[in-house]
Amino acid sequence: MSLFGKIFGGGGKGGKGPSPQEAIQKLRETEEMLTKKQEFLEKKIEQELQIAKKNGTKNKRAALQALKRKKRYEKQLAQIDGTLSTIEFQREALENANTNTEVLKNMGFAAKAMKSAHENMDIDKVDDLMQDITEQQELAQEISDAISKPVGFGEEFDEDELLAELDELEQEELDKNLLEIGPENVPLPNVPSTSLPSRPAKKEEDEDDMEDLQRWAMEAM
């Protein structure tokens, strides 16, 4: 039986193979086992190296035996490293395959649901329904437009005549307001509160000038 057959507990040709989840779990358990084996071998290698150093000058035979065991452990460790790389690669491939399987399964489920939803639908009936909806919307718009138009009850008026009549009314109102304003209603200006400067009379000025002329004549004599 092969190594993977032992890991997965494989049976005969007619046996049912493990599920992807079971295989992934088995591979993870194997990785854990091999990792522990790695740690054990690394410790053994370190121990044998210390024995070889200790007996290097005292007991060469013991030192050589320790180095031989160290080489075997290193060989086993290298084999485990390669096996771990292979198992990790296989586990990742299984995980990706399992993910793709789940995705495809869900997509198939959704496709069946969509098919079931459209099973009772006829594209011709859908087109007819959409056409009816469009016609009803257009009819509703026409009704709304008709309702929103102002109703004149059959009476039509000339707008220019109405404007001329409005101008006459405004002019009559203006004339009425002017007639109501009389002279007695016109306010007079207020009298100044400050007094004007006084100015001497003309006669007094002439008398002063005459006296000055006489006085000048007397002095000249």
Side-chain angles (χ1 to χ4, degrees):
M1 186 179 292
S2 64
L3 173 62
F4 293 110
K6 293 179 181 179
I7 294 174
F8 300 138
K13 295 182 178 179
K16 184 179 179 181
S19 65
Q21 293 84 357
E22 294 173 346
I24 291 171
Q25 182 61 31
K26 289 291 184 180
L27 287 173
R28 286 176 177 171
E29 293 174 358
T30 304
E31 286 181 84
E32 184 178 355
M33 179 190 66
L34 292 176
T35 301
K36 292 180 180 179
K37 184 68 173 178
Q38 275 183 325
E39 295 174 356
F40 173 77
L41 290 174
E42 288 173 353
K43 290 180 180 179
K44 296 296 291 183
I45 291 171
E46 183 64 25
Q47 291 175 0
E48 298 299 334
L49 182 60
Q50 294 300 325
I51 293 173
K53 288 181 179 180
K54 183 178 180 181
N55 296 292
T57 57
K58 299 178 181 180
N59 190 346
K60 290 186 177 181
R61 183 181 179 84
L64 291 174
Q65 292 296 328
L67 290 176
K68 288 179 181 180
R69 290 191 297 269
K70 172 180 169 291
K71 290 295 183 179
R72 290 198 302 268
Y73 294 147
E74 289 176 346
K75 184 177 181 180
Q76 293 178 28
L77 185 60
Q79 291 175 346
I80 291 176
D81 289 339
T83 304
L84 271 175
S85 298
T86 303
I87 291 176
E88 289 176 358
F89 176 80
Q90 189 176 19
R91 177 178 53 80
E92 292 173 356
L94 274 173
E95 288 175 346
N96 291 333
N98 187 45
T99 300
N100 294 334
T101 300
E102 291 297 322
V103 170
L104 291 174
K105 185 188 298 183
N106 293 333
M107 291 177 64
F109 183 78
K112 290 180 181 179
M114 187 177 295
K115 183 178 180 181
S116 178
H118 294 160
E119 186 174 1
N120 296 324
M121 289 187 182
D122 186 354
I123 187 62
D124 295 331
K125 292 182 180 179
V126 174
D127 291 338
D128 294 339
L129 177 61
M130 295 305 298
Q131 186 175 358
D132 291 340
I133 292 174
T134 302
E135 292 177 356
Q136 293 301 320
Q137 289 178 343
E138 293 176 355
L139 178 60
Q141 185 63 41
E142 292 177 359
I143 294 173
S144 298
D145 294 341
I147 293 174
S148 62
K149 289 181 180 179
V151 180
F153 299 102
E155 296 182 0
E156 296 182 359
F157 302 98
D158 189 351
E159 187 175 354
D160 293 337
E161 293 180 359
L162 295 175
L163 291 174
E165 185 176 353
L166 179 61
D167 292 339
E168 292 178 1
L169 293 175
E170 291 177 350
Q171 186 64 40
E172 290 178 1
E173 186 68 19
L174 180 61
D175 294 342
K176 181 179 178 181
N177 293 334
L178 291 175
L179 291 175
E180 290 178 355
I181 301 175
E184 62 278 4
N185 295 329
V186 178
L188 296 177
N190 296 327
V191 178
S193 58
T194 57
S195 59
L196 297 175
S198 60
R199 184 178 179 182
K202 180 68 174 175
K203 182 177 181 180
E204 293 177 355
E205 293 178 356
D206 294 341
E207 291 177 355
D208 292 339
D209 294 339
M210 183 61 69
E211 289 177 359
D212 294 337
L213 181 59
Q214 290 177 357
R215 189 177 301 108
W216 178 77
M218 291 293 295
E219 291 176 358
M221 294 177 63

